[in-house]
Amino acid sequence: MGFNEILEISKPRIVVLLVITAVTSMYAASKLVPGVPELDYWAYLHIIIAGALASAGSSALNHYYDKDIDPKMTRTSSRPIPSGRMAASNVLIYGLSVSCISVIYGYFTLNAVSAFFIAVGIFSYVVIYTVWLKRKNTSNIVIGGIAGSAAAWAGWAAATGSMDLLGFLVGFLVFVWTPSHFWCLAMKIKDEYAQAKVPMLPVVIGMQKTSKFILGNTLILIPYSLILSFIPDGMGIVYTVIAIVSGGLMLVYHYKLTKTPTSEFAWKAYKVTAPYLTIIFVAVALDAAFHFPLF
């Protein structure tokens, strides 16, 4: 078991994405919520460490649980467990240990509310998504999206010690975005999911209907993202402009996907959808730093 294998089961790209949502949420809360003291670099370091550990541990447990279906899919057949590069028991120990450490670390270095949301994220991804829903119901990735929201909530709570309406809505953006993002990937590798008997949406209802679901979800995401600008003491001009432009680009590609519901075009749509979350959360932070109210 080497460093490369540990890195692989930790899914570093997901770690980076979730850490970005946590850090930007934390920064935004420190600027937008009245009475929150200025945060020092240590506070940001603590949320980065806690968030990275939580994401890495959850990902490892996902690798462990999916060890029986990963060999059936080209995309996952070379992972450390199915390829024999890591023993399943070691992945389990690593995943459980790192996940537990992340919650404990968050509790002592951040606060109890932030640690609670870290635990919610781990539970949502490992138990609700991976164990309960992934192999049983097409709602798997929809409900599983709450794990990503928990990262943003943990960041917001790390700054405030609580959760308010704006913080909840900011975090819930991840939940609303997730289906549009992941269903594009599911369309790309539909045949692999079918071979592994995982009931992802395109496997169950086909490519054409899935593309319409993606478009429908994006038509929900765009106005939802703008709600943040119209609630009292909400986001300002910087965020609103970026949300409209980035959401509009997604909408164009997802509309085109309904006209060309192929795995090739789904992959193009996926590449457009993937950066949205980073862009929108950077927009949240930029808006907090250069806040120009809409009203």
Side-chain angles (χ1 to χ4, degrees):
M1 180 173 68
F3 175 77
N4 288 338
E5 285 73 30
I6 293 174
L7 192 65
E8 189 174 343
I9 63 172
S10 300
K11 299 183 181 179
R13 281 184 288 186
I14 295 178
V15 170
V16 171
L17 179 60
L18 294 182
V19 165
I20 288 172
T21 66
V23 169
T24 51
S25 295
M26 184 179 185
Y27 175 80
S30 72
K31 297 295 184 181
L32 297 175
V33 178
V36 175
E38 190 74 22
L39 300 176
D40 58 23
Y41 291 114
W42 284 106
Y44 290 106
L45 180 62
H46 292 322
I47 193 65
I48 289 170
I49 293 172
L53 290 174
S55 180
S58 300
S59 294
L61 293 173
N62 174 266
H63 272 257
Y64 172 79
Y65 192 79
D66 282 351
K67 63 185 181 297
D68 59 328
I69 62 172
D70 279 349
K72 301 175 183 177
M73 301 173 62
T74 303
R75 186 176 71 95
T76 57
S77 60
S78 61
R79 284 177 170 178
I81 295 177
S83 66
R85 289 179 289 132
M86 286 187 76
S89 58
N90 290 339
V91 175
L92 176 62
I93 293 169
Y94 169 79
L96 288 173
S97 301
V98 172
S99 296
C100 291
I101 290 170
S102 70
V103 178
I104 296 169
Y105 185 89
Y107 180 84
F108 283 106
T109 63
L110 300 169
N111 56 61
V113 180
S114 186
F116 167 76
F117 284 118
I118 291 170
V120 167
I122 295 168
F123 182 83
S124 299
Y125 185 68
V126 176
V127 179
I128 297 178
Y129 169 65
T130 303
V131 177
W132 288 351
L133 294 176
K134 182 175 180 178
R135 308 186 192 197
K136 298 175 183 177
N137 198 291
T138 55
S139 67
N140 46 21
I141 196 59
V142 179
I143 299 173
I146 205 72
S149 293
W153 291 332
W156 195 275
T160 64
S162 61
M163 183 55 56
D164 57 18
L165 177 62
L166 182 58
F168 176 83
L169 293 176
V170 167
F172 205 68
L173 261 171
V174 186
F175 178 87
V176 182
W177 162 84
T178 299
S180 291
H181 170 67
F182 198 87
W183 284 336
C184 286
L185 175 62
M187 286 181 67
K188 165 66 176 173
I189 57 174
K190 172 197 162 210
D191 293 341
E192 293 189 36
Y193 279 126
Q195 186 174 341
K197 297 181 180 179
V198 177
M200 290 299 176
L201 198 63
V203 175
V204 177
I205 68 173
M207 300 284 271
Q208 180 66 66
K209 287 185 178 178
T210 300
S211 69
K212 292 180 179 178
F213 270 72
I214 292 171
L215 177 61
N217 190 79
T218 302
L219 286 169
I220 294 171
L221 172 63
I222 294 172
Y224 175 85
S225 68
L226 297 178
I227 289 175
L228 277 65
S229 303
F230 291 91
I231 64 171
D233 301 317
M235 307 309 298
I237 294 173
V238 175
Y239 167 86
T240 304
V241 170
I242 296 175
I244 291 172
V245 173
S246 57
L249 183 61
M250 278 180 58
L251 185 62
V252 169
Y253 270 81
H254 293 163
Y255 172 74
K256 289 181 177 179
L257 183 61
T258 64
K259 303 302 179 183
T260 313
T262 63
S263 61
E264 291 77 14
F265 196 83
W267 186 238
K268 291 181 181 179
Y270 175 82
K271 290 180 179 178
V272 172
T273 308
Y276 173 86
L277 198 65
T278 299
I279 292 169
I280 206 73
F281 272 87
V282 169
V284 168
L286 287 174
D287 194 275
F290 308 99
H291 189 63
F292 303 103
L294 277 175
F295 307 104

